[in-house]
Amino acid sequence: MSMAYSVVGQSAQRVDAVAKVTGKAKYTDDFFERDMLVAKILRSPYAHAWVRQIDTVQAKALPGVEAVLTYHDVPHIKFATAGHPFNLDPKHRDRADRLILTDKARFVGDAVAAVVAADELIAQEALSLIKVEYEELEALLTPDAALREGAPLIHADCPHNILSDQGFHQGDLEQAFGRADVIVEGEYQTSMVQHCHLENHISYAYVDTQGRIVIVTSTQIPHIIRRIVGEALGIPWGRVRVIKPYVGGGFGAKQDACLEPLTAAMTLAVGGRPVKLNFTREECMMDTRRRHDFTFRLKSGLTKDGRLLGIRIEAISNTGAYASHGHSIAGAAGSKYRYLYDVPALSYEPRTVYTNLPVAGAMRGYGSPQLVYALECHMEDIARKIQLDPIDLRRKNLIKIGHIDELSDNKVLSCGIRECLEKGKALIRWEEKQKAFERQTGDKRRGLGVACFSYASGTHPVGLEIAGARIVLNQDGSVQLQTGAAEIGQGSDTVLAQIAAEVLGLPLGKVHVRSEQDTDTAPFDTGAYASRQTYISGMAVKKAAEAVKAKILDFVWGMTDIPAHALDLKNEQVVYKHSGETVLPLAEAALNTYYDTVFAQPITADVSNNARVNAVPYGATFAEVEVDLKTGKIEILEIYNVHDSGTIINPRLAEGQVHGGVSMGIGYALSEQLLFDEKTGRPLNNNLLDYKLPTIMDTPDIGVAFVETAEPTGSFGAKSLGEPPTLSPAPAIRNAVLAATGAAFNRLPMNPQRVFEKLKQAGVI
């Protein structure tokens, strides 16, 4: 008897690998329609201004111009752009504060008009012919300015420019502080950064022969885009069809309706002809989404031996000109760290503030990179104050399996954080190097840093977690797999195919995945975000595969008189469950399901799964850095990212996720920052020359390790992995720099100039 296929746990080649490396994969810009028109957007030069008058006469008269749209030419319907599932309760929906085109500019780059023309050059010339009269208003470019008493309102219906200040309290914090032997306070800041996904935002739309709007777009959320476009245009959602081809990355920036409502409005303006809107890199970095910058104030009380009694976290989140994901970011950040340390009393007091800067939205980690940075830097500061090893401090306070979060009632069923700490400590040789670094001299100093995290697998119980999958058994015994889960480069198609193959006893090559999502035909799934696909969409795929398997075995029962419960599927064979002996090839059974003259009934399963569970992944980053005291330059010598993500479905893909996440974390720590003119709000570095993404020369060898735990709620024991790798590198690097220099860097990024200035202030040099 041959060994059974084992697909889960294997580093199978990505199902889209050949298509991508050979250039056969088709992205949005690879598609075209006959007589495709081109669109361009006229953007406000002011951060805050009323649009008093727009003269479009000359632009419309330019040969080749098909339409010029302003606020007056599109529906005056405010809509929410954030890519969240629709909520039946109006009180829990995203804030609707956006118009397709605006009569009030709220940041430099806000869209005030759009041109549709025969080609890009004509469209660009037409923009120059549009004359706009603005009434400039005070630009509120910082949260402090926006919160100032008497400051103008960015949105008239939002008092004090505060989008929300909802937080939570748990336990008696004042009593905890009263019992504490030590009180530690600190302030920490994070910067604005941008996703910088490889493929820019791009979309095109046309009206089909049935009068429906068809939108082909690079998005993470095709089904949600359909709904948002319907809302923005005030039309039934069924009149909109969204097609998602291959996507060149998103990281959260495409979990938002950044350009699809306008693209749809433009095709309607030209009688349904196809119109393409393709953002430049500069436009992407100015008018899609960025990560929220936060300011945190933390106060902790603890016993003299390091047991945490209470923590207060005050946070100000800068959401920019429009809500987008808004306070959900701050709220999500506050929900995920509660699974890390067992603290009797907690207070989380966030405020999300409108400013006249580009819009902040979802970005890998969804608020947790900011909060993890503040919390883990604070833990390091505590350890130094009470003279306790930072690993020991964390060990004393980590939660255990069985922990129930008081606010969500979610229970921790698997937890490998202690093992992650031990593995990382061994990999970086913590004790050996700590001893070696005790008495350093010279201009270059080395230090070690550690940071931990907890996260989530999806959004339950705050958000709906529904996913769909369809599996069809083909005549040759292979299957087709179609999901609503959006493959955007992360490898979800491969992992979901592995889950199906494992259940059905097939090699991965016999699971044919349709990567494209089309809202007319793809099962409903809310999309690619929240590290949910292996965990949430995986449940739907496993459920569909089990349904197909049951139907196959039931059909074979009719063919052979062997009861279905005595049969199984292994190695493309229908076998006896007790012995593995072959009954008949799966392909023979499949052929009969199509062509048996009496019993033919092709086998399919189309299922939906509403997951009301949430698994908690854990991990830690260990970093060794060398700091040049004369220049402030920081070099990362070693970095290890260790994860408890349950069972690893595909080790090579998982390792790739970690490499990408750590690279983003390094950029967040050391070099990346969106900059704006302090008086006008004009972007200063919205391009890939001036915005300092780490290059391959800036990226050290990244060590990856996993601690596999069995998560009972996950498909084959899996938990999330997509976002966690980017959570803890930045604080680990900061803590290593602190260890090397003795100077606390509480603001990102830690670029050489800032490091040098801080070292001088601290008297290190």
Side-chain angles (χ1 to χ4, degrees), residues 119-375:
D119 61 43
E120 188 172 342
L121 291 176
I122 295 172
Q124 197 67 49
E125 185 179 354
L127 292 183
S128 68
L129 298 175
I130 300 173
K131 298 175 183 177
V132 186
E133 180 185 322
Y134 293 95
E135 179 188 336
E136 193 173 358
L137 304 170
E138 180 187 353
L140 307 173
L141 302 179
T142 65
D144 285 345
L147 292 169
R148 189 190 73 238
E149 189 68 32
L153 296 182
I154 295 172
H155 293 271
D157 58 349
C158 190
H160 311 296
N161 294 313
I162 298 174
L163 177 60
S164 178
D165 59 1
Q166 183 177 354
F168 66 81
H169 302 279
Q170 175 181 306
D172 190 330
L173 191 62
E174 293 310 316
Q175 184 185 70
F177 287 159
R179 292 192 296 115
D181 299 315
V182 182
I183 299 290
V184 181
E185 298 185 65
E187 183 171 313
Y188 310 88
Q189 291 179 285
T190 66
S191 297
M192 286 178 265
V193 296
Q194 222 272 336
H195 310 70
C196 297
H197 36 77
L198 193 61
E199 179 195 28
N200 289 341
H201 280 67
I202 179 172
S203 172
Y204 75 83
Y206 61 91
V207 176
D208 68 14
T209 55
Q210 299 178 17
R212 299 173 72 214
I213 300 169
V214 181
I215 305 170
V216 181
T217 184
S218 179
T219 182
Q220 300 175 215
I221 48 168
H223 282 283
I224 292 176
I225 290 294
R226 180 191 200 190
R227 184 256 302 170
I228 293 174
V229 170
E231 290 175 329
L233 294 179
I235 62 175
W237 304 353
R239 278 193 57 200
V240 182
R241 175 187 173 197
V242 176
I243 299 171
K244 184 230 72 153
Y246 281 93
V247 172
F251 305 115
K254 296 175 184 175
Q255 194 201 337
D256 230 304
C258 295
L259 68 174
E260 292 88 357
L262 176 56
T263 313
M266 290 190 294
T267 189
L268 294 178
V270 293
R273 290 180 62 186
V275 179
K276 179 180 286 187
L277 180 57
N278 191 353
F279 278 11
T280 64
R281 178 63 64 180
E282 287 78 6
E283 287 179 299
C284 276
M285 296 182 74
M286 176 171 59
D287 186 25
T288 58
R289 300 295 177 263
R290 60 170 176 85
R291 181 176 282 163
H292 292 73
D293 51 310
F294 273 73
T295 298
F296 295 95
R297 292 185 180 89
L298 274 72
K299 179 180 179 180
S300 294
L302 58 154
T303 62
K304 58 187 175 183
D305 64 347
R307 183 73 180 89
L308 287 165
L309 301 174
I311 302 177
R312 170 181 287 137
I313 302 177
E314 299 173 90
I316 295 180
S317 168
N318 177 1
T319 203
Y322 295 97
S324 179
H325 287 252
H327 198 64
S328 297
I329 302 287
S335 70
K336 294 180 175 70
Y337 82 93
R338 298 198 303 263
Y339 298 98
L340 185 56
Y341 300 120
D342 188 8
V343 186
L346 292 171
S347 178
Y348 181 55
E349 303 162 24
R351 281 185 293 173
T352 297
V353 182
Y354 281 119
T355 64
N356 291 122
L357 287 176
V359 185
M363 185 173 173
R364 194 174 191 174
Y366 208 80
S368 285
Q370 298 95 310
L371 197 145
V372 168
Y373 177 76
L375 179 63

Side-chain angles (χ1 to χ4, degrees), residues 379-388 735 738-743:
M379 290 293 286
E380 189 75 18
D381 296 345
I382 291 171
R384 291 173 69 84
K385 181 161 185 174
I386 65 175
Q387 298 183 325
L388 186 66
N735 293 340
L738 173 61
T741 65

Side-chain angles (χ1 to χ4, degrees), residues 510-557:
K510 290 294 183 75
V511 179
H512 308 303
V513 185
R514 183 169 181 179
S515 185
E516 173 190 278
Q517 273 73 45
D518 180 333
T519 55
D520 271 10
T521 58
F524 184 81
D525 189 296
T526 52
Y529 59 86
S531 300
R532 63 186 294 277
Q533 283 171 285
T534 298
Y535 184 71
I536 300 294
S537 302
M539 293 180 189
V541 171
K542 190 168 185 282
K543 189 175 180 180
E546 287 170 343
V548 166
K549 179 178 179 177
K551 289 180 180 181
I552 292 170
L553 299 183
D554 204 49
F555 189 88
V556 173
W557 185 359

Side-chain angles (χ1 to χ4, degrees), residues 601-683:
Q601 187 176 2
I603 290 175
T604 66
D606 195 334
V607 308
S608 186
N609 189 73
N610 186 356
R612 294 183 294 277
V613 290
N614 200 327
V616 183
Y618 291 95
T621 298
F622 287 77
E624 178 188 353
V625 305
E626 182 176 80
V627 183
D628 188 325
L629 302 184
K630 284 191 172 181
T631 64
K633 181 182 177 182
I634 299 167
E635 183 180 356
I636 300 171
L637 302 178
E638 289 187 63
I639 189 164
Y640 296 94
N641 205 228
V642 188
H643 291 264
D644 162 26
S645 291
T647 300
I648 302 301
I649 303 291
N650 187 315
R652 188 184 298 129
L653 271 181
E655 188 174 346
Q657 283 278 36
V658 175
H659 277 267
V662 172
S663 176
M664 291 182 81
I666 290 171
Y668 193 39
L670 298 179
S671 62
E672 293 183 48
Q673 185 178 22
L674 279 171
L675 300 172
F676 300 89
D677 185 280
E678 294 180 357
K679 294 182 179 179
T680 66
R682 181 176 61 85

Side-chain angles (χ1 to χ4, degrees), residues 703-740:
V704 180
F706 296 101
V707 170
E708 294 198 59
T709 59
E711 170 55 44
T713 64
S715 297
F716 299 104
K719 297 192 279 190
S720 73
L721 181 61
E723 293 165 285
T726 203
L727 304 181
S728 52
I733 293 166
R734 177 268 189 186
N735 293 340
V737 174
L738 173 61

